[in-house]
Structures are given as structure tokens and as C-alpha cells.
Amino acid sequence: MEIPIKIKYFSEITETKVEEGSTVEDVVKKLGFNLETVVVKLNEKIVTEDAKVKTNDELTIIRVITGG
Amino acid sequence: MALCNLCEEHEAVVWRRYSGVRLCKSCFTQSIEQNVKRTIRRHAMISKNDRIALGLSGGKDSVSIMHLLNQITENRPDIELIAITIDEGIKDYRNESIPIAEKNAKQLGIEHKIVSFKETYGYILDDLLVLTKSQKRRLKACAYCGVFRRSLLNRAARELGATKVVTGHNLDDDVQAILMNFMRSDIERESRLGPKTEPRHSKLVARVKPLREVPEREVALYALLNEIEVHLGECPYAGESFRQVIRNWLNEVEVKYPGTKYSILRGFDKLLPTLKEKFGHPPLQECKYCGEPTQYKVCKACELLQKLKT
Ligand SMILES: [Zn+2]
Ligand SMILES: [Zn+2]
């Protein structure tokens, strides 16, 4: 079953659906980010990537590794 | 939620796959401080009465190392810190990062100097690129920038009477450079990539890299968790560089095989004494135009400037 979650990236919020039981890592990979280049907040708290996401959770993706 | 493996009390904010350890905010922060202290001690990066010039861009690496050094040298009245910001003149990039650099230096009460490409070389980086494009002699932006920035940071540090230059190079930066030099077969440059570059000329200031063993992601995490304001913007020229290709590849490998970055650094450190012995001592002379130390008659910065004029 799929559950709805919110993704916040550069203060822009979008909604998406992920498989129930997905981890932060699953979502980050699905969105095409490399784990080494982002820090993720789940409902405003920095979490490790094995944290599970629940219905209506808000995931903030902070891209911390860029060029220069 | 996963608990911290050290205190077993607070929730983990980081899971280091290369070591299997999970840490909470306070244990993580402590571990970064210990990491930096260990690197400084192991390579004797700071000595008595040092006047340390820090290359401060406003990005996460240089701002974080400034906060860390400020704390580490708190009880060392003999050590002085000064921050130097190089303004290359990159629109929509430096005008965002310089105020952040200023703010952090001010907050810590650290003397701060800004020196620009414009006042030194007569051009800002954006102009240089337009000029060279029209002359069909366009080098990659990063090549220009790197040459001028390195030369200028050394010169500014020397003029401010610094005995050391600290840069914010992290684990990822150095591992990328190790791979890039190897792939270009530039073993002379490879031999100068160690944690500490001893001056080979009286006009060169020793350079040290205390963040060398901290992964880039953890530097960012340190700044975020400790609410240190940093500039996370991307250099508009970053997309052009060979480095970017290596960076992406390395991050893919690290996710699949955690610990690869550290492993490359360890391997390199084993090679380093041999590399230094064989390649590390080309004699330096003073550039006939600007007087800065160089391996050739004309330094790289002046060579690039000459090309522009012809
Ligand atoms: Zn802890
Ligand atoms: Zn010169």
C-alpha cells in the first residue's frame, strides 16, 4: 500500500506517495539524491537514513554538498 | 528511533556506515572536535606562538574550521587567529558568501581581511572568463580560480605576518584531489597533497588541513546541528569541472562500499613519504614579474595574466 508524504526541498513543498514501510533512505534514493550529499529532516528533526516514514510525514531534504 | 551508541540516551542524528556507529548531536559534535584535535596533534599543525591565517570563504568547511579552531585554541593565549577572505568576483555567489564570512568572524571576535582578485590582478574572475572566451584560449574556470586564489591567500597571509595557513579541505576534497592528480599523472602535485605543506621558500607560509579526516557531509552536519550560519550555495562554475565528475563517482562508490574515502586517504598516506622523497623538492625561485615563489621563471598566475594581454 502507498502512503502520502510531503517533501520539502529549498522551501518548496511537494506531495508524493511512497510504499508503506519505506525508510528515509528509500525516499531519498527514489528522488534521485545520493545519501552522501544530503542531510534529511523528518518532521523538522535531523534523523538517520534508516528512520521509517509514516503517513503525512514531512521530509526536508538539505543538499549540503555542491561544487566550489 | 535509533539511539546513540555512545551515550545510549539520545536519539541518533548520524549513522556512520564506515564504522557502524550511530551518534546523537552532542556525541557527534564531540567526535568531530576530537577528530580535528587528533589531526592537529598528529601532524604538529599548531605550534607555540603561531599566528594562524584561515582561508575563510563563508562556506561550510572554512566557517566550521574557524569555529572549531577558535574553540580548540581558547586556552592558548599565545595563538592568534586571523581570517582572510578571497573575493574572486563571482556574481551571485561571493556577494552571498562574504557577508556570512564576515558575520561569523565578527561573532567570534576574529580579525578579518578581505582581498580581491580585482585589486591584485586588475580583473574579477567573471571578466577573466569573458576575456579568455573571446580569445579562444579559455581554460576551465576552476584552473584560473585555483591558481589565483592559492597565490593570493599565501601572499595575504605572509603580509599579515602569519606563520601558518589553515584551509578548510575536508576528507572528500583531498580524496578527490588524490584521484584527480593520479588520473592526470601529475605525481609532483600528488606529492604535495599531505596534511601539512612545509614551506619550500621563505615567501611561502606553511599550509595545514585540520579537517582532512572529516567527511564533507559531516562538516555540513556539524554546522547545521550547531546552528552555525554557512553559505551552501553552489559556485556557478562548478558544473564545468573534472572534480565534479570525480565527486559524483566517489559518492556513488562510498554509498555502495562505505569506508572507501577513508581507505583511499590511508593508502595515500602510506605512499606519501616515498612520493615526497622522490618528487617533493623541486627548487623554487621568484617570479620575474610579481616576485612570488614559483618552480619556473614566471609563476602560474602571471603566466595566465600574460596570456590575456597577448
Ligand atoms: Zn550520544
Ligand atoms: Zn608572478
Side-chain angles (χ1 to χ4, degrees):
Chain A
M1 205 186 75
E2 290 199 320
I3 54 166
I5 60 163
K6 293 187 198 73
I7 307 288
K8 196 166 157 189
Y9 183 57
F10 281 110
S11 71
E12 206 174 295
I13 299 176
T14 49
E15 293 202 14
T16 187
K17 284 194 166 129
V18 297
E19 210 46 55
E20 198 176 4
S22 290
T23 61
V24 165
E25 177 172 3
D26 296 331
V27 181
V28 166
K29 282 186 173 164
K30 191 183 158 197
L31 294 170
F33 291 99
N34 181 299
L35 273 176
E36 284 285 294
T37 65
V38 295
V39 169
V40 182
K41 284 182 175 173
L42 187 57
N43 304 321
E44 296 297 316
K45 261 169 57 186
I46 293 177
V47 291
T48 54
E49 57 266 29
D50 52 340
K52 289 225 166 48
V53 295
K54 301 182 306 300
T55 303
N56 292 327
D57 273 354
E58 184 182 270
L59 213 89
T60 309
I61 298 186
I62 309 166
R63 229 182 123 204
V64 294
I65 297 191
T66 51
Chain B
M1 288 284 154
L3 283 184
C4 171
N5 292 137
L6 274 190
C7 64
E8 296 180 334
E9 195 179 322
H10 304 292
E11 269 175 33
V13 292
V14 62
W15 175 22
R16 289 176 169 157
R17 299 212 179 176
Y18 55 81
S19 64
V21 174
R22 290 161 202 276
L23 297 175
C24 69
K25 175 185 164 179
S26 102
C27 293
F28 169 76
T29 299
Q30 266 184 47
S31 97
I32 297 294
E33 288 162 9
Q34 282 160 4
N35 178 315
V36 170
K37 276 188 195 162
R38 191 176 56 230
T39 301
I40 289 174
R41 206 178 319 121
R42 187 183 289 158
H43 303 289
M45 288 182 172
I46 297 179
S47 22
K48 207 171 175 359
N49 299 322
D50 259 344
R51 182 162 156 87
I52 301 172
L54 174 85
L56 180 68
S57 70
K60 63 185 184 318
D61 303 305
S62 61
V63 171
S64 295
I65 193 58
M66 179 166 69
H67 281 260
L68 282 156
L69 277 181
N70 184 60
Q71 195 184 332
I72 289 169
T73 60
E74 208 174 32
N75 300 316
R76 291 284 303 268
D78 60 311
I79 307 285
E80 252 185 298
L81 288 180
I82 39 174
I84 300 173
T85 297
I86 309 284
D87 182 1
E88 302 94 340
I90 306 173
K91 263 189 259 28
D92 302 326
Y93 182 59
R94 280 296 168 238
N95 43 336
E96 285 174 18
S97 61
I98 290 174
I100 295 176
E102 273 179 321
K103 220 164 132 184
N104 276 282
K106 200 173 169 195
Q107 182 197 336
L108 300 176
I110 291 173
E111 185 188 336
H112 185 211
K113 269 257 146 50
I114 301 175
V115 288
S116 71
F117 276 15
K118 181 83 185 171
E119 73 195 44
T120 315
Y121 302 113
Y123 300 99
I124 63 168
L125 189 69
D126 288 340
D127 292 343
L128 282 174
L129 294 170
V130 173
L131 267 172
T132 48
K133 195 173 195 172
S134 63
Q135 295 179 342
K136 297 196 191 327
R137 278 199 193 126
R138 191 163 193 258
L139 270 176
K140 296 288 182 199
C142 294
Y144 271 102
C145 195
V147 166
F148 292 134
R149 194 152 28 113
R150 225 178 345 262
S151 177
L152 192 46
L153 180 58
N154 179 73
R155 187 158 138 184
R158 186 183 68 227
E159 286 168 4
L160 287 166
T163 51
K164 294 273 163 57
V165 168
V166 163
T167 60
H169 291 93
N170 58 50
L171 175 69
D172 295 46
D173 292 329
D174 268 26
V175 171
Q176 288 155 15
I178 290 166
L179 295 176
M180 286 163 67
N181 287 336
F182 192 77
M183 289 163 97
R184 289 169 169 153
S185 184
D186 193 344
I187 308 303
E188 284 80 12
R189 184 165 289 177
E190 193 80 314
S191 74
R192 295 196 291 270
L193 264 186
K196 187 176 184 182
T197 314
E198 298 288 356
R200 296 174 294 142
H201 189 280
S202 60
K203 283 186 162 180
L204 285 179
V205 184
R207 274 184 302 135
V208 295
K209 300 184 267 192
L211 277 181
R212 186 178 184 258
E213 301 204 17
V214 183
E216 184 162 12
R217 183 180 182 273
E218 293 190 17
V219 179
L221 193 56
Y222 173 86
L224 276 171
L225 287 169
N226 291 286
E227 287 162 24
I228 297 170
E229 193 187 348
V230 300
H231 182 239
L232 283 176
E234 182 164 32
C235 176
Y237 299 114
E240 292 177 35
S241 64
F242 179 40
R243 182 178 285 273
Q244 199 71 1
V245 176
I246 301 300
R247 183 197 313 262
N248 294 342
W249 176 81
L250 196 58
N251 283 334
E252 277 169 35
V253 178
E254 180 68 28
V255 169
K256 280 188 197 139
Y257 306 99
T260 298
K261 290 174 185 173
Y262 275 120
S263 176
I264 292 171
L265 191 80
R266 298 281 172 255
F268 172 76
D269 283 354
K270 285 184 200 166
L271 276 174
L272 191 57
T274 315
L275 287 179
K276 270 188 174 163
E277 203 182 299
K278 210 158 162 32
F279 300 96
H281 311 282
L284 295 181
Q285 45 189 313
E286 291 184 11
C287 168
K288 70 172 185 180
Y289 295 112
C290 70
E292 290 301 305
T294 168
Q295 223 171 301
Y296 312 97
K297 282 203 168 69
V298 177
C299 79
K300 204 81 194 149
C302 288
E303 188 196 312
L304 291 176
L305 288 169
Q306 288 299 313
K307 273 189 186 169
L308 285 173
K309 287 174 190 154
T310 51

